Amino acid sequence: MPRLFLLAGLTLLSAAAMAEKADWQPANRVYDRDVLSAAPLLPADLDAATRRCEPGTGGLEDVEYRSAAEVDYSQHGWEQRVAADWAFFNVSPYLGKVLVIDSRRQGDTLAFRYLANGTQGDLYEPWSSSKVMAFTAAMAAAREQGVGADASVGDYRIADLVTSVHSYAQHGLADGNSNAIASWFLNIAGRDAATALFHDRWLKLSDPRVRIRGAYANLVFDPGTTTWRSDDGSATATIDSFKANTDDPGYQAYRCDDCDLTGNKPMTTLAEAEWLKRLATHDTVPETRHPGLQSSDIDVLFEGLADGPDRPVGGMRAGIGRMLHRALADAIVPEEPSKDDAKAVLDNATDGRWSVWQKLGAGPSETRGASELVMLAQVCLPGYQGGRTFTVAAQAGVPGATEENVSVAAQRLEQVLAITMRQLLGDG
């Protein structure tokens, strides 16, 4: 599969330049094909692998978790009130950034602990991992008009569009142009409204630098109409969007006066993980529920609408990449070559009911002189260690802004994830 999740406008190296790197490039191409750009692994029992994944109550009895009621996420400063070990993971910040929000059931409620390697407040460019935020904000805007993600706009189903964003492949009538579709989502929401969700409108983060004010491509998807219709025909709405990214008053250029080297949508592992954790727990933690979304909108984000043999898997479950799957398998069965048969390891540990919902973002940055990879994911391991579920945000980069070096960054990110998963699951 081609590396379609890079920012639009990148060009491949010339044949001569590729030849100059022949001593290492073939291995990178194999890793790119088989791991980085590969279609995701899927559980054996896909019908039983559900977004409504609940952690168990056993294990980790001496470890503190805190519920939403104990933390009070409705008030600023919640980052200081959560149960956290910000230096839990033995991952050097030089190697990468990582944060995990681990869940446990305490009585009738879910409780959480936050684990990191001391980088939870470091800004980075999220690349395409932030498309989760673009979709979320767009669906909140649509819900204000009475329709949601279980709808179509013209000939296009929203579920197909969001699946295409994550899979970088054609899905239904969606053509796989992830950058153009995600830019359209953000142009529906507006950057002021999308950024406000990080702050007073929802997450109430303490870091005012976090925002989403850029785009993913100059070319923006055009469905040919502004009319949305719910799939059951019960509702229609006219939903406008900015035709060009720069039409949005909240848009910032990548190197705007207020932008650092991290660009116009800087985020942190804490910001990204908290956003996804709240979506994943929409049905079970009402205190942190998104104010404008319904459960069906989140179902579309996580699963798409798999209603036919030609569309068996969708949403974030269709997100490309196998680094996290391999890291999980390596933690569950540390002896090699577990990561090379990650699906079998995960199936055996969970009766085939495990889930990984993920979004990768990657690219070479000339402003930072580096190639980078970001992963945002939700993991469900039912039955394993009594049932484990957690959110992961991780980032890694290597010197040298080339497309080929993105594969090197991906291998470094897999190292980060391998260390992280062994520590996380090793203490269960």
Side-chain angles (χ1 to χ4, degrees), residues 3 6 10-13 32 364 371 400-407:
R3 182 100 43 63
L6 301 179
L10 293 177
T11 57
L12 297 174
L13 292 182
D32 194 345
S371 296
T402 67
E403 186 181 353
E404 288 69 32
N405 274 359
V406 172
S407 291

Side-chain angles (χ1 to χ4, degrees), residues 323-394:
M323 290 85 72
L324 181 54
H325 305 79
R326 286 158 56 100
L328 287 165
D330 181 64
I332 294 170
V333 181
E335 297 79 17
E336 292 288 349
S338 61
K339 68 180 181 181
D340 296 323
D341 197 5
K343 173 178 164 55
V345 171
L346 291 166
D347 282 340
N348 289 337
T350 66
D351 285 334
R353 296 178 293 126
W354 58 273
S355 291
V356 171
W357 301 275
Q358 64 181 1
K359 183 70 190 79
L360 298 185
S365 167
E366 293 184 0
T367 60
R368 294 181 295 279
S371 296
E372 300 165 342
L373 193 85
V374 181
M375 170 177 286
L376 178 62
Q378 185 72 22
V379 176
C380 175
L381 302 174
Y384 182 71
Q385 295 181 345
R388 299 295 296 268
T389 183
F390 48 88
T391 312
V392 185

Side-chain angles (χ1 to χ4, degrees), residues 202-218:
W202 188 30
L203 296 193
K204 292 184 170 58
L205 293 176
S206 297
D207 191 341
R209 302 172 300 169
V210 174
R211 62 191 185 277
I212 181 166
R213 295 196 175 278
Y216 305 96
N218 290 327

Side-chain angles (χ1 to χ4, degrees), residues 74-354:
S74 69
Q75 299 298 316
H76 287 281
W78 59 261
E79 299 97 326
Q80 306 304 315
R81 299 189 294 272
V82 297
D85 185 344
W86 300 120
F88 179 84
F89 295 118
N90 296 326
V91 175
S92 166
Y94 173 79
L95 190 63
K97 304 172 179 64
V98 64
L99 181 140
V100 171
I101 306 176
D102 189 29
S103 305
R104 182 175 73 179
R105 177 158 287 284
Q106 293 185 162
D108 294 332
T109 64
L110 288 186
F112 308 96
R113 62 172 179 157
Y114 292 66
L115 309 171
N117 70 329
T119 59
Q120 70 278 358
D122 294 354
L123 289 180
Y124 57 82
E125 179 173 356
W127 299 92
S128 288
S129 68
S130 62
K131 291 173 181 176
V132 172
M133 290 77 190
F135 171 80
T136 305
M139 291 309 103
R143 278 293 174 196
E144 291 180 356
Q145 303 301 318
V147 294
D150 49 347
S152 296
V153 53
D155 295 329
Y156 301 91
R157 300 176 75 191
I158 299 300
D160 290 339
L161 293 171
V162 75
T163 297
S164 201
V165 163
H166 288 84
S167 67
Y168 298 87
Q170 183 176 350
H171 201 82
L173 295 181
D175 64 3
N177 193 332
S178 178
N179 289 332
I181 296 169
S183 294
W184 177 69
F185 282 141
L186 199 49
N187 285 354
I188 290 171
R191 284 134 183 99
D192 288 340
T195 295
L197 288 169
F198 283 108
H199 302 292
D200 286 344
R201 195 176 169 205
W202 188 30
L203 296 193
K204 292 184 170 58
L205 293 176
S206 297
D207 191 341
R209 302 172 300 169
V210 174
R211 62 191 185 277
I212 181 166
R213 295 196 175 278
Y216 305 96
N218 290 327
L219 176 65
V220 178
F221 169 72
D222 182 0
T225 182
T226 58
T227 300
W228 292 42
R229 290 182 173 83
S230 61
D231 284 351
D232 63 6
S234 62
T236 62
T238 298
I239 301 177
D240 294 321
S241 67
F242 296 107
K243 297 301 181 186
N245 303 314
T246 53
D247 291 342
D248 183 351
Y251 174 83
Q252 289 180 333
Y254 187 81
R255 294 305 306 273
C256 71
D257 292 341
D258 297 328
C259 298
D260 203 343
L261 293 180
T262 46
N264 51 15
K265 45 183 182 290
M267 296 181 192
T268 63
T269 54
L270 178 59
E272 288 206 273
E274 183 65 23
W275 188 297
L276 184 59
K277 181 264 284 185
R278 295 194 189 189
L279 293 179
T281 59
H282 180 90
D283 300 319
T284 50
V285 186
E287 297 95 328
T288 59
R289 191 172 290 164
H290 188 290
L293 296 185
Q294 295 184 13
S295 185
S296 59
D297 301 320
I298 299 168
D299 286 338
V300 169
L301 172 62
F302 275 61
E303 303 285 0
L305 290 176
D307 59 356
D310 59 331
R311 286 184 288 221
V313 176
M316 292 184 74
R317 192 184 288 277
I320 61 171
R322 298 182 178 181
M323 290 85 72
L324 181 54
H325 305 79
R326 286 158 56 100
L328 287 165
D330 181 64
I332 294 170
V333 181
E335 297 79 17
E336 292 288 349
S338 61
K339 68 180 181 181
D340 296 323
D341 197 5
K343 173 178 164 55
V345 171
L346 291 166
D347 282 340
N348 289 337
T350 66
D351 285 334
R353 296 178 293 126
W354 58 273

